[in-house]
Amino acid sequence: MNLDRGLEVLEKIIITVGLAAATLLLFANVVARYVFHSGFTWVLELVQYLFAWVVLVGAAHGFRVGTHLGIDILVEKFSPAMQRRIALLAVSLCLLFVGLVFWYSVQYTLRIHAWGDLTLDLQIPQWIPYLAIPVGLGLMFLHLLQVGWDILQGRTLRIHANEAADALKQVEDI
């Protein structure tokens, strides 16, 4: 299995297990509260951390599969060569933003690690939930590099989904 396929599988596992676990934990907590008049004090904290991982890794996965939304009504008026330049500019700006936030999130996570604080309810090191930020942004950066490479190679002109074209294709297939 190559690295790209391994990352894809890892992303899907984090997203799937995180959503399933959060759903089951919330359901169990509701049942415990209303049926048994008790509950788990740590569930809400864990669900927050699970959702952080799911959202950040899911956003990165969105770049991989091209599901992020984009408004390209103006860009489509240009020639394919200009569309390519605009797409490369967009990818470059996204890489700059994600790269900067990634850098600062790594610094922040290392600082939290050095402090040695524990989470309030779960009593695990605070840096573990915060690790979702640099991991998700690192994956986003890698996927944006891949999208930029695909644009340079002429395999695509888009860094986002094209819902209108997808809908038309589905109608044509019927």
Side-chain angles (χ1 to χ4, degrees), residues 37-113:
H37 304 291
S38 69
F40 308 107
T41 57
W42 48 269
V43 166
L44 293 179
E45 184 177 75
L46 180 56
V47 167
Q48 282 180 321
Y49 299 149
L50 288 171
F51 275 136
W53 279 90
V54 167
V55 166
L56 289 160
V57 173
H61 190 70
F63 279 117
R64 170 190 290 281
V65 297
T67 57
H68 287 284
L69 299 177
I71 301 171
D72 57 3
I73 191 166
L74 181 63
V75 175
E76 288 181 344
K77 305 288 184 201
F78 295 106
S79 68
M82 183 56 84
Q83 288 180 27
R84 184 175 178 203
R85 285 189 209 101
I86 293 169
L88 286 171
L89 175 64
V91 168
S92 298
L93 291 173
C94 288
L95 281 168
L96 177 65
F97 176 77
V98 169
L100 283 171
V101 178
F102 170 76
W103 173 255
Y104 287 115
S105 70
V106 168
Q107 300 305 311
Y108 188 65
T109 304
L110 289 172
R111 194 170 302 144
I112 291 172
H113 182 271

Side-chain angles (χ1 to χ4, degrees), residues 3-165:
L3 178 63
D4 187 52
R5 180 73 178 127
L7 283 177
E8 181 180 11
V9 169
L10 179 64
E11 289 169 0
K12 288 179 178 180
I13 288 171
I14 290 170
I15 294 165
T16 304
V17 170
L19 278 175
T23 303
L24 291 173
L25 285 167
L26 285 173
F27 177 75
N29 204 34
V30 167
V31 169
R33 267 199 197 145
Y34 291 103
V35 175
F36 301 109
H37 304 291
S38 69
F40 308 107
T41 57
W42 48 269
V43 166
L44 293 179
E45 184 177 75
L46 180 56
V47 167
Q48 282 180 321
Y49 299 149
L50 288 171
F51 275 136
W53 279 90
V54 167
V55 166
L56 289 160
V57 173
H61 190 70
F63 279 117
R64 170 190 290 281
V65 297
T67 57
H68 287 284
L69 299 177
I71 301 171
D72 57 3
I73 191 166
L74 181 63
V75 175
E76 288 181 344
K77 305 288 184 201
F78 295 106
S79 68
M82 183 56 84
Q83 288 180 27
R84 184 175 178 203
R85 285 189 209 101
I86 293 169
L88 286 171
L89 175 64
V91 168
S92 298
L93 291 173
C94 288
L95 281 168
L96 177 65
F97 176 77
V98 169
L100 283 171
V101 178
F102 170 76
W103 173 255
Y104 287 115
S105 70
V106 168
Q107 300 305 311
Y108 188 65
T109 304
L110 289 172
R111 194 170 302 144
I112 291 172
H113 182 271
W115 291 336
D117 290 343
L118 299 176
T119 60
L120 186 61
D121 292 327
L122 295 172
Q123 293 295 298
I124 61 172
Q126 186 74 41
W127 64 270
I128 293 172
Y130 277 86
L131 193 61
I133 302 168
V135 168
L137 290 167
L139 289 169
M140 280 184 219
F141 194 86
L142 288 174
H143 296 324
L144 280 165
L145 285 174
Q146 181 63 49
V147 169
W149 181 251
D150 287 346
I151 292 170
L152 276 173
Q153 297 295 309
R155 290 190 283 261
T156 186
L157 284 176
R158 301 187 182 285
I159 63 171
H160 57 78
N162 188 350
E163 298 81 21

